[in-house]
Amino acid sequence: MTIIIGSLLGIVAVVLVIGLNVLEKKHEEEIKAVISKKGGVVLKIERVEPKTSAFKNDFNRSNVIYRIIYKNNVDSELLAWYRGINVPNNIHGDNPTAREGRFREKWIFQSELK
C-alpha cells in the first residue's frame, strides 16, 4: 500500500513540475510578444515576490509577478512589471480566486510609474 501511495505522490509531483514549466513558458512567450509589440527587446525576465513589485497591494495566490528589463531604440534599459494568472490553459482568463480580489492579468510600464 505504501508503495502505491509513494508512486502516486511521485506522479503528482512530476505533473506539477511539468505544469509549472508550461505556465512559465507561456508567460515568457506573452512577455516577449508584448514587449516586441512596443518595439522593444527583452533583456531579462525575473519572477519576483509580489510584495517587492509594483503590484505589492494588487495580487493574490493565483497571480505570478515578473520584473522585465527590456530595451528599445531610444532608451538603454526600461522596466516593466507583468502580473500573470496561474492558469496554464488560459493565461488571459479570469483569476480563479474570487474571494481574494480577482486580480486579472496586467502590465505596468516604467513610464506609468510615479
Side-chain angles (χ1 to χ4, degrees):
M1 182 68 158
T2 57
I3 294 173
I4 293 171
I5 292 172
S7 297
L8 288 174
L9 289 175
I11 291 169
V12 168
V14 168
V15 169
L16 285 173
V17 168
I18 291 170
L20 289 174
N21 286 338
V22 167
L23 178 66
E24 209 163 281
K25 182 72 172 162
K26 285 185 177 187
H27 283 156
E28 182 180 321
E29 290 170 0
E30 175 68 8
I31 289 166
K32 288 180 178 179
V34 168
I35 296 297
S36 178
K37 286 179 187 173
K38 291 184 72 65
V41 176
V42 172
L43 301 175
K44 183 176 183 181
I45 300 171
E46 180 179 34
R47 186 174 175 164
V48 298
E49 287 296 318
K51 292 186 186 246
T52 64
S53 76
F55 294 106
K56 61 186 167 198
N57 298 317
D58 300 321
F59 72 94
N60 64 37
R61 64 185 171 91
S62 293
N63 294 119
V64 60
I65 310 296
Y66 295 93
R67 180 175 165 261
I68 300 103
I69 304 295
Y70 69 101
K71 68 176 185 171
N72 60 20
N73 292 334
V74 178
D75 301 298
S76 56
E77 287 188 3
L78 297 165
L79 173 66
W81 300 92
Y82 175 62
R83 181 178 66 203
I85 306 295
N86 287 330
V87 181
N89 61 340
N90 185 5
I91 64 169
H92 302 293
D94 282 335
N95 187 318
T97 313
R99 63 180 177 234
E100 291 186 36
R102 298 200 120 178
F103 295 107
R104 299 190 67 142
E105 173 187 47
K106 184 176 178 181
W107 283 88
I108 297 176
F109 292 92
Q110 181 175 346
S111 60
E112 299 167 355
L113 295 174
K114 296 175 179 144

